[in-house]
Amino acid sequence: MTLEEDRNNNSIRSGLLALASVLILPAPAAHADVIDLFADLSFANERPTPPVPSLGTGSAHVVLDTTAQTLTVSATFSGLTGPATAAHIHCCQTAFDVPPAVGVATAVPSFPGFPLNMGTSGSYGPMTFDLTQFSLANPGVYNPAFVAMFPSFPQAEAALIAGLENHLTYFNIHTANNPGGEIRGQLVPGPIVGAGLPGLIVACGGLLGWWRRRKKIA
């Protein structure tokens, strides 16, 4: 192998590593009109540790549309120690996952229509809520206590949107056995569509194939 060929091969390897690093990065959330957030709900994520151990798991998908000012919520859960008694989003932490517990920002005890007291597994949504609508008589998606923390409602709305955008919120589901929360997950951006491991395999496979063909011809 000549010095020039060795340099070319090193350049290809560097390109593959750079491609891999780009593909595995999560999609940026800042300044987006539509932000997809996901939470992996588990007993291990709940803090402080609930008193009754649980094999419960679940997932939540929250879509924030900052242009339409809407929030769309979907969730699934299974294996709880008892029927769900509450489900909501907590906001807003001062840093990612810090502090471990903050107040409830969305409707209490749960999102409107969430399957409470109906079994240890279930699903919800997608349900879309207007973030611009709130009154004490009809709080919509908001927890009135959260709104009361701010001088005006627009500031409460802005705080919730900022909390979601900056990943300072978490989703959890409560049960009678674990009234403080049984399964929980931090709401974070999902992977780039078409990327992740499948995208990495396809992209790198194509580049490797080209490299091998080039060497064979040479």
Side-chain angles (χ1 to χ4, degrees), residues 18 20 31 37-38 41 45 48 80 94-95 100 104 108 125-126 133-134 146 158 170-171 173 179 195 204:
H31 310 302
L37 300 168
F38 298 87
L41 308 179
N45 290 338
L80 300 180
T94 56
V104 179
V108 289
Q133 298 299 310
F134 171 80
F146 175 78
Y170 58 91
F171 189 112
I173 297 177
C204 289

Side-chain angles (χ1 to χ4, degrees), residues 95-157:
F96 182 84
D97 207 25
V98 177
V102 291
V104 179
T106 58
V108 289
S110 69
F111 296 101
F114 196 91
L116 300 182
N117 302 307
M118 296 178 63
T120 59
S121 63
S123 61
Y124 175 72
M127 290 285 288
T128 299
F129 303 97
D130 186 345
L131 291 174
T132 69
Q133 298 299 310
F134 171 80
S135 69
L136 291 177
N138 182 19
V141 74
Y142 292 96
N143 175 9
F146 175 78
V147 176
M149 293 170 59
F150 300 88
S152 66
F153 167 67
Q155 290 173 299
E157 179 194 5

